Amino acid sequence: MACCAATFLPGGPSSRHTGQRRLAAGTEYASAASWWRAQRVHPIRPLVWACARHDARESSTCPSQPRTQPNSGAALKHVSSFTWIARDASPIRPNPEPSPPPKTSYKLTAPMRRLERPWREWIWAVGDDFAEHIRLRQACLSNENTRRKVLATDGAPETLEAARELAELLVSHLVERFPEHFCLNADATELFVRPTKETYLLEDWLSSKPMDLISCICVEDMVLLKPVSDAVQKELEEREQTVLDRQYDVALSCVCFSFGNLHARLSLPLVTLHENVPGFAQDLRKVTDKIFAKMTPDRGYTRHNWEMRTNGEMLHPSIDLGDAVKGQLDVQRFRSMSPEQALESLWFRSEYQSVRRLPRSGFVLFAVRSQTDPLVRLKEHPTVARELLHRMDNMSPAFLEYKGIPQTEKEQIRRYILGMAEGPVDTDRAR
């Protein structure tokens, strides 16, 4: 289907309700629990209440009485880019060998964790860089030239409806999961976001610009996937000469940080999107298909990803430099510096990825949270450094280069990380 960015027009909703303003003095904000009850009769959209019940059945921690101001909330903490690899790091992994023997065969793996009710790890913690990342997203979406680079949709009515469903589900989740940062007024018409001190009139945003609302309240990049048509499914099965699980393609992307060239990815099946990932076809294709086939609205999955770069810019470089630019290590810049400067210029960039099926539309949401830190901070987390070296030693040269580590620079980078891996076990696991 042809690309269409006109579904989500630049600018805010109507001039009467801008959808974004300072919190009015004296506005009463209800707790999440009282909001759930109010949804039974609130006219804005019935699905909001349905999603709230879907996400919050287990919750009984919020006070039920309205209050005059939102929770004061705890101080925002830094979300380290080492957090997610630290969760899976072995605390007893021995120090890696200085020069391990070369391997002759490699197998690509992508360990996943189950994501289930009450969805506590669907959207990661609100960090101290939340407001900064939201401002970056808003700046990209408010400029006509950059908007088309970070937002792409196939324009289908069912895709817009799935975007509305996602926005409603996200609002209900945020006020339940992070009540110290997100709060609704008493009649559930306005959402207050404490870290940015902004208020959003929900009815206007949900009806006309759901992805803009999501970008104002959530730092995750969002991709909506839908089942391919019967014709495309048949074409794929004939090409591969086998019966396949139902395949999925990209229906909508709102992405600022994790990848670029969005319009070229629209309506492409996942197998086509991953053609350039070394080892995906032989090692992960069938696993991925099975996960999508068995995924229900009650169960999703999470995983993490990482790469090396030579700067700490959060926005994907393709936004400024063109669709062909990838977010990898700048080898020319790396080689132009002295060895010490080159290594100190390295940044570790990680992604927390989650997939879950939307309950009403059946679309699959792929959400990506990106974080970055100077690689030198690994010296504070030797356990993570050992885990990273273990993974590097078990990756093929082609996949390492895909991660931003060319074979010509691997040993230099490896020795640098090795020097930070020789330390005590870090009990905080990089959190």
Side-chain angles (χ1 to χ4, degrees), residues 308 329 334 343 346 375 389 392 404-406 409-418:
M308 298 287 186
L329 185 143
F334 186 81
L343 292 170
L346 287 174
L375 185 61
L389 285 174
M392 288 174 60
I405 306 178
E409 276 69 40
K410 175 189 173 182
E411 285 308 311
Q412 183 183 5
I413 295 174
R414 191 185 184 281
R415 286 195 301 270
Y416 182 58
I417 299 175
L418 184 63

Side-chain angles (χ1 to χ4, degrees), residues 84 87 121-122 124 302-303 351-354 367-369:
W84 304 308
R87 292 201 309 166
E121 294 189 351
W122 173 35
W124 202 260
T302 69
R303 64 178 296 268
E351 296 175 349
Y352 176 77
Q353 304 172 349
S354 65
V368 185
R369 170 71 170 271

Side-chain angles (χ1 to χ4, degrees), residues 115-130:
L115 179 66
E116 298 176 323
R117 297 182 188 278
W119 308 109
R120 291 185 61 83
E121 294 189 351
W122 173 35
I123 301 299
W124 202 260
V126 178
D128 58 1
D129 51 8
F130 178 87

Side-chain angles (χ1 to χ4, degrees), residues 39-75:
Q39 294 311 299
R40 298 180 185 274
V41 296
H42 194 271
I44 179 172
R45 287 183 67 81
L47 184 60
V48 176
W49 167 237
C51 292
R53 288 183 301 173
H54 187 85
D55 263 22
R57 289 175 188 167
E58 296 85 353
S59 176
S60 59
T61 60
C62 295
S64 60
Q65 296 301 317
R67 54 185 178 269
T68 56
Q69 292 294 334
N71 288 343
S72 58

Side-chain angles (χ1 to χ4, degrees), residues 152-187:
T153 172
D154 62 12
E158 62 268 24
T159 300
L160 177 57
E161 187 57 32
R164 291 192 184 108
E165 180 186 8
L166 170 58
E168 293 162 349
L169 190 65
L170 188 61
V171 168
S172 70
H173 176 78
L174 292 176
V175 298
E176 172 67 19
R177 177 69 178 87
F178 306 108
E180 69 274 28
H181 303 309
F182 302 90
C183 202
L184 288 146
N185 66 343
D187 61 356

Side-chain angles (χ1 to χ4, degrees), residues 126-377:
V126 178
D128 58 1
D129 51 8
F130 178 87
E132 176 188 354
H133 291 182
I134 291 296
R135 282 194 291 269
L136 288 173
R137 297 178 72 89
Q138 290 174 331
C140 289
L141 286 166
S142 62
N143 180 285
E144 188 173 351
N145 292 327
T146 54
R147 184 181 178 85
R148 64 178 183 80
K149 296 182 179 181
V150 301
L151 180 61
T153 172
D154 62 12
E158 62 268 24
T159 300
L160 177 57
E161 187 57 32
R164 291 192 184 108
E165 180 186 8
L166 170 58
E168 293 162 349
L169 190 65
L170 188 61
V171 168
S172 70
H173 176 78
L174 292 176
V175 298
E176 172 67 19
R177 177 69 178 87
F178 306 108
E180 69 274 28
H181 303 309
F182 302 90
C183 202
L184 288 146
N185 66 343
D187 61 356
T189 58
E190 300 176 2
L191 174 70
F192 176 63
V193 182
R194 172 170 287 277
T196 59
K197 297 181 175 60
E198 297 287 356
T199 301
Y200 299 92
L201 303 178
L202 292 178
E203 188 167 13
D204 289 343
W205 288 86
L206 289 173
S207 63
S208 61
K209 295 168 71 68
M211 294 310 297
D212 288 74
L213 174 63
I214 290 171
S215 294
C216 291
I217 64 177
C218 185
V219 299
E220 274 78 357
D221 288 332
M222 300 286 186
V223 180
L224 286 174
L225 309 166
K226 67 180 180 181
V228 300
S229 65
D230 291 340
V232 172
Q233 181 77 15
K234 182 179 179 181
E235 180 183 339
L236 290 171
E237 292 179 343
E238 290 177 348
R239 186 179 71 185
E240 301 187 26
Q241 297 183 344
T242 186
V243 177
L244 300 171
D245 291 310
R246 176 62 69 172
Q247 301 295 291
Y248 286 76
D249 62 20
V250 178
L252 183 150
S253 300
C254 188
V255 179
C256 296
F257 307 130
S258 51
F259 59 87
N261 203 10
L262 305 189
H263 286 276
R265 300 170 186 261
L266 273 178
S267 302
L268 288 182
L270 290 182
V271 62
T272 305
L273 291 175
H274 290 88
E275 281 179 343
N276 296 326
V277 179
F280 178 84
Q282 60 268 36
D283 296 331
L284 293 183
R285 167 73 188 282
K286 291 184 178 179
V287 175
T288 303
D289 285 352
K290 291 298 181 186
I291 286 175
F292 273 72
K294 295 180 179 180
M295 193 183 308
T296 69
D298 294 315
R299 175 180 296 174
Y301 297 89
T302 69
R303 64 178 296 268
H304 67 265
N305 197 8
W306 62 270
E307 64 183 8
M308 298 287 186
R309 294 194 185 178
T310 41
N311 64 65
E313 295 291 332
M314 276 304 301
L315 288 176
H316 195 272
S318 64
I319 296 175
D320 292 326
L321 303 178
D323 289 340
V325 178
K326 297 182 179 180
Q328 294 179 328
L329 185 143
D330 186 341
V331 177
Q332 290 185 341
R333 180 171 180 263
F334 186 81
R335 293 173 179 171
S336 68
M337 296 182 283
S338 68
E340 294 78 12
Q341 289 177 323
L343 292 170
E344 290 175 357
S345 74
L346 287 174
W347 286 71
F348 183 80
R349 189 179 180 96
S350 63
E351 296 175 349
Y352 176 77
Q353 304 172 349
S354 65
V355 289
R356 62 178 291 190
R357 190 179 298 280
L358 301 185
R360 185 180 67 187
S361 65
F363 279 50
V364 171
L365 168 68
F366 176 54
V368 185
R369 170 71 170 271
S370 299
Q371 296 290 147
T372 187
D373 284 287
L375 185 61
V376 68
R377 289 185 183 169

